[in-house]
Amino acid sequence: MLLYILKRLVTVTPVAFGVSVVCFLLVHLAPGDPLSAVLPADATQATIDEMRAAYGFDKPLPVQYAIWLWHVLQGDLGVSIATGRPVAQEVARAVVNSLILASVATLIGFTFGTFFGFVAGYKRNSLLDRIASALSVFGVSVPHYWLGMVLVIVFSATLGWLPPTGAGPDGSGNWRPDLEHLRYIALPAITMAVIPMGIIARTVRALVADILSQDFVEALRAKGLGEWGVFKHVVRNAAPTALAIMGLQLGYLLGGSILIETVFAWPGTGFLLNAAIFQRDLPLLQGSILVLAMFFVALNLIVDVMQTALDPRIERG
């Protein structure tokens, strides 16, 4: 198992390098001048040239990339053009908030998605199956930003049960695991959980239906094994694929939550990316995208290792 992990780490290295190249080039090839956010409209050419030299924008792109990558490997993501604060501090605070929100949303989505999937798989072609399948299709199809606005209108504006925006009552942007802060995370977490719930429910439903139709299940029942024992075998066979889907969904939620975090003003990476895009803040944009991409690469690695540990049929060579 250790040898397999080392091999996977070796294969991840060129992927991480390629991700860094793509992050750097995509941001730099976008139109617009990043210094327009901090330079006054009447700035002289000498001032513009001085600022470009200060941020290293006067050098060729390969040189800029080499310098940027060297600093990144030392943990230095640069300084935000808009705020003047270190990008690493800005991204670290936002990543923690996004991880909290994505983890809660994944937990909700995985719990209900797995429940609906098993119910639909065990009760195929029944009313329960149709209800669970309809809920999963709704979860996959509904635009999450629209659902977020509907939830705000219903539970915040109309009923007044839950706060509409922010991460806490003090407005500091630091979420804490207490009852008051749970009220602030409820709406964005439920909104984010809808899509993974639908995907996991449909995946688990198909897996359970396929496993129950296999010959070894009939053999287990013929040997006198009870339904609880059969259920444990079904879970064991469905777990690796369900785990892979859950890991991918956590990665997607971390990187694809811009609209939801904007709707709920949640101070995470999506909200930070939105601000960096509109402010044309290249260091902040690069740092945010790179950290999110590395999280996704790390999640894939962790899921691969966990799949291999759970399912001995997966080749480790």
Side-chain angles (χ1 to χ4, degrees):
M1 189 65 186
L2 181 60
L3 182 61
Y4 173 77
I5 295 175
L6 292 176
K7 287 181 178 180
R8 291 292 292 118
L9 286 173
V10 171
T11 58
V12 161
T13 302
V15 174
F17 175 76
V19 166
S20 70
V21 173
V22 172
C23 289
F24 181 84
L25 290 180
L26 282 179
V27 172
H28 273 273
L29 294 177
D33 186 1
L35 296 179
S36 61
V38 291
L39 285 173
D42 58 348
T44 63
Q45 187 61 43
T47 304
I48 295 174
D49 293 339
E50 183 181 348
M51 289 294 294
R52 291 182 64 84
Y55 283 97
F57 295 149
D58 59 331
K59 298 179 176 63
L61 278 182
V63 177
Q64 289 187 46
Y65 172 73
I67 295 173
W68 174 73
L69 183 61
W70 174 249
H71 285 291
V72 167
L73 292 176
Q74 300 178 68
D76 180 13
L77 298 178
V79 178
S80 170
I81 295 176
T83 65
R85 291 192 291 266
V87 171
Q89 293 181 9
E90 300 274 353
V91 174
R93 184 171 58 250
V95 164
V96 170
N97 289 328
S98 285
L99 269 174
I100 292 171
L101 179 59
S103 299
V104 174
T106 303
L107 179 63
I108 295 172
F110 187 75
T111 301
F112 286 95
T114 303
F115 173 76
F116 290 143
F118 268 98
V119 168
Y122 264 91
K123 303 293 183 181
R124 283 170 292 176
N125 301 321
S126 66
L127 178 62
L128 289 176
D129 180 19
R130 288 193 287 272
I131 293 174
S133 298
L135 289 174
S136 63
V137 171
F138 172 79
V140 175
S141 306
V142 64
H144 52 277
Y145 60 89
W146 174 85
L147 178 62
M149 290 186 287
V150 170
L151 292 179
V152 168
I153 293 172
V154 174
F155 292 99
S156 296
T158 304
L159 299 176
W161 292 352
L162 297 170
T165 57
D170 52 1
S172 64
N174 296 320
W175 189 85
R176 295 188 294 273
D178 55 38
L179 182 60
E180 183 62 28
H181 286 76
L182 283 173
R183 296 178 67 248
Y184 280 82
I185 203 175
L187 290 183
I190 293 172
T191 304
M192 287 186 70
V194 169
I195 291 180
M197 182 193 71
I199 294 174
I200 293 171
R202 297 181 69 179
T203 303
V204 171
R205 193 263 184 201
L207 284 171
V208 171
D210 179 66
I211 293 169
L212 289 176
S213 64
Q214 294 182 16
D215 294 336
F216 82 91
V217 174
E218 295 300 325
L220 291 174
R221 286 171 173 161
K223 289 181 179 180
L225 189 65
E227 285 303 316
W228 176 245
V230 173
F231 175 76
K232 289 192 290 186
H233 280 276
V234 172
V235 171
R236 191 176 302 165
N237 282 270
T241 303
L243 181 65
I245 297 296
M246 184 185 70
L248 290 175
Q249 290 305 307
L250 178 59
Y252 287 136
L253 292 180
L254 277 174
S257 59
I258 294 180
L259 292 175
I260 293 178
E261 291 188 0
T262 302
V263 168
F264 292 99
W266 182 267
T269 52
F271 194 74
L272 189 68
L273 274 173
N274 186 53
I277 290 171
F278 280 102
Q279 294 171 344
R280 191 79 176 118
D281 193 339
L282 284 190
L284 186 58
L285 196 56
Q286 284 176 333
S288 302
I289 294 175
L290 181 67
V291 170
L292 288 176
M294 290 300 111
F295 260 110
F296 199 85
V297 172
L299 275 174
N300 275 310
L301 175 63
I302 294 171
V303 168
D304 283 347
V305 173
M306 293 182 68
Q307 273 188 295
T308 308
L310 286 173
D311 193 347
R313 297 172 298 178
I314 296 177
E315 179 60 44
R316 298 182 184 178

